[in-house]
Amino acid sequence: MSEQAEPVQEFDEARFLALLDLAGPATAHELAARLDEDLTQVAETMIQAELAGDRPQLLAQSHVLLAIAGTIGANRLYLLSERLNAQVRTPASGPQAELLGEIHVLLGRLITRIRLARSQLAGP
C-alpha cells in the first residue's frame, strides 16, 4: 500500500519520548495509561464498525486516530487514518478491508509500544 515517493517513518520515537518527558514523571504514566485505553477502544470499535459496515463509526474513529497518531508521532498510522477518513466520507468508495487491515496492524504495534512505556513508567 505504499503510494508515496518517500517512505514515511512508521513511528517517531523521539517525538513520543519528548511528549512523555514534557508531561513529567507523574503525568507521563497517566498519559500512557490513557493512550492505552483510548487506542484499545479505537481498535475494538473499528473492528465492530468494519464488520457492521458502519461508515459513520469508522469516520469517528479515524478522527480519534488522526488526533492521537499525529500527536505522538505514529506517522504511518496518521497517513492511513487520513486515507480512511477520506474514503468513508465518499459514499461511492469501495471496501476498505486492505486499508483497515494495515491500520489494525499498526494500531496493534502502537498499543504494544504504549504498554511498554506504561510499564517502564510504573517503575520497579
Side-chain angles (χ1 to χ4, degrees):
M1 232 192 224
S2 220
E3 297 174 1
Q4 300 192 267
E6 291 184 34
V8 173
Q9 179 186 16
E10 182 178 319
F11 184 71
D12 185 344
E13 185 73 21
R15 186 187 315 169
F16 178 61
L17 294 175
L19 179 65
L20 293 178
D21 188 48
L22 182 65
T27 306
H29 185 264
E30 175 62 30
L31 175 60
R34 183 63 52 135
L35 287 169
D36 183 3
E37 293 168 13
D38 291 349
L39 290 169
T40 299
Q41 182 64 46
V42 167
E44 292 169 0
T45 303
M46 285 187 80
I47 289 169
Q48 293 168 1
E50 181 180 10
L51 293 173
D54 187 343
R55 294 170 74 92
Q57 191 57 254
L58 287 173
L59 181 63
Q61 297 312 306
S62 74
H63 285 134
V64 175
L65 277 180
L66 283 167
I68 294 174
T71 300
I72 67 174
N75 302 321
R76 180 78 181 140
L77 186 57
Y78 179 86
L79 292 174
L80 294 176
S81 298
E82 277 187 322
R83 191 177 310 155
L84 176 63
N85 186 283
Q87 282 186 10
V88 296
R89 285 178 181 272
T90 307
S93 72
Q96 295 89 27
E98 185 179 341
L99 176 59
L100 286 168
E102 192 172 351
I103 288 173
H104 290 309
V105 168
L106 292 174
L107 193 48
R109 285 186 201 151
L110 182 57
I111 291 168
T112 298
R113 177 60 188 99
I114 298 295
R115 288 178 180 166
L116 174 63
R118 188 175 176 187
S119 68
Q120 291 170 335
L121 290 165

